[in-house]
Amino acid sequence: MRLSYFHSPDRVPGEGMGDAAVVIDVLRATTTMAWALHNGAEAVQAFADLASLDAAADSWPAERRLRAGERGGQKLDGFDLGNSPLAVTPEVVNGRRIFMSTTNGTRALDRVQSAPLLFTCALANRSAVAARLLSEQPKTIWVVGSGWEGAYSLEDSLAAGALIEALLRPAAGVAMELVQLAGNDEAAAAHALWLQWQSQPEQALRLASHGQRLQRLGDHDADLACCASVDTLTVVPQQCEPGVLQSS
Ligand code: MLT
């Protein structure tokens, strides 16, 4: 396996595609998706734009759908949900499809929608995603951080490093080495970032510019703690049809 890390969807090469793609948006889209599917949502359907979201949601039975919309860290008016992992409780999401659009995370998903195998990852489920990749053994893995409007984001790179660390753990008695796994310098740098912050992930999220944005908006302490928790979930969100993620 060779893993390349791209810190924003804009960095993904225009040509070709990995055998597997993993999209990360720790703050907060892929954390929210993992919790929603863990709590019984039928699926999360991701949209880069709101007009397509509305058209798809309108064609779904009202009692089995929820609209989740976020821009700039804030819930969109008229939507059932914003993008908080704490809001997707079993009572709210069980059996429902979540039609979701966020500032960066759903755009990153859209960019690698054509990957033969597509997962989403957060700190909460990074070991589960790593175990799945180890069992599937794709030759090339493209890990895509959502970033912020094209810019680097600390928290997504941190989680890419956490995923790499889990992939380096001995599996079946054989340990893979970073020199074999890292397909580009960004992957090696993400791993170094994780080694630096692994004992204080929440501090890293609070230092990150989007973590600071959420703190400025106020009332996000519980979200930050939830997004910083590592290996709390075993769910692996997997794309089953373009844009549609289900628990696997
Ligand atoms: C995004 O897609 O940029 C986010 O998940 C932002 C957020 O809601 O914190």
Side-chain angles (χ1 to χ4, degrees), residues 25 27-29 70 73 83 102-106 147-148 210 214:
D25 185 4
L27 289 174
R28 295 163 290 173
E70 169 276 335
N83 189 20
T102 69
T103 313
N104 303 285
T106 54
W148 189 268
H210 184 49
L214 292 174

Side-chain angles (χ1 to χ4, degrees), residues 78-173:
F79 279 67
D80 304 301
L81 296 164
N83 189 20
S84 169
L86 299 179
V88 291
T89 59
E91 298 72 33
V92 173
V93 304
N94 190 36
R96 295 196 157 116
R97 178 167 294 210
I98 301 178
F99 295 83
M100 180 177 197
S101 182
T102 69
T103 313
N104 303 285
T106 54
R107 200 167 70 83
L109 270 163
D110 195 57
R111 179 68 191 80
V112 287
Q113 214 173 59
S114 63
L117 205 51
L118 173 56
F119 304 118
T120 66
C121 181
L123 287 172
N125 64 345
R126 65 89 201 229
S127 283
V129 174
R132 190 59 188 283
L133 289 169
L134 286 167
S135 87
E136 300 276 354
Q137 288 285 320
K139 278 201 175 65
T140 52
I141 305 169
W142 286 12
V143 178
V144 184
S146 299
W148 189 268
E149 295 176 342
Y152 179 91
S153 71
L154 187 69
E155 70 279 11
D156 294 339
S157 302
L158 183 76
L163 175 67
I164 291 168
E165 177 67 5
L167 288 168
L168 293 175
R169 281 190 206 133

Side-chain angles (χ1 to χ4, degrees), residues 15-235:
E15 305 267 302
M17 180 55 69
D19 298 318
V22 179
V23 172
I24 298 177
D25 185 4
V26 172
L27 289 174
R28 295 163 290 173
T30 58
T31 305
T32 300
M33 288 171 185
W35 275 103
L37 294 173
H38 170 81
N39 285 336
E42 179 264 332
V44 176
Q45 189 161 353
F47 297 88
D49 72 276
L50 298 174
S52 324
L53 183 157
D54 279 337
D58 285 347
S59 70
W60 207 255
E63 67 285 4
R64 287 197 284 115
R65 72 176 179 223
L66 291 165
R67 285 181 167 88
E70 169 276 335
R71 289 293 182 268
Q74 294 184 286
K75 176 175 176 289
L76 291 173
D77 285 345
F79 279 67
D80 304 301
L81 296 164
N83 189 20
S84 169
L86 299 179
V88 291
T89 59
E91 298 72 33
V92 173
V93 304
N94 190 36
R96 295 196 157 116
R97 178 167 294 210
I98 301 178
F99 295 83
M100 180 177 197
S101 182
T102 69
T103 313
N104 303 285
T106 54
R107 200 167 70 83
L109 270 163
D110 195 57
R111 179 68 191 80
V112 287
Q113 214 173 59
S114 63
L117 205 51
L118 173 56
F119 304 118
T120 66
C121 181
L123 287 172
N125 64 345
R126 65 89 201 229
S127 283
V129 174
R132 190 59 188 283
L133 289 169
L134 286 167
S135 87
E136 300 276 354
Q137 288 285 320
K139 278 201 175 65
T140 52
I141 305 169
W142 286 12
V143 178
V144 184
S146 299
W148 189 268
E149 295 176 342
Y152 179 91
S153 71
L154 187 69
E155 70 279 11
D156 294 339
S157 302
L158 183 76
L163 175 67
I164 291 168
E165 177 67 5
L167 288 168
L168 293 175
R169 281 190 206 133
V174 183
M176 186 182 284
E177 291 184 23
L178 184 61
V179 71
Q180 298 168 314
L181 181 67
N184 61 5
D185 285 0
E186 286 85 340
H191 184 243
L193 191 69
W194 173 249
L195 296 182
Q196 172 72 22
W197 285 98
Q198 60 184 325
S199 60
Q200 302 173 295
E202 187 172 339
Q203 280 85 336
L205 265 55
R206 286 178 174 275
L207 173 67
S209 56
H210 184 49
Q212 291 187 24
R213 180 180 294 106
L214 292 174
Q215 289 171 81
R216 278 196 302 277
L217 288 170
D219 200 22
H220 282 91
D221 286 349
D223 271 23
L224 286 161
C226 176
C227 293
S229 71
V230 181
D231 291 340
T232 41
L233 298 176
T234 55
V235 67

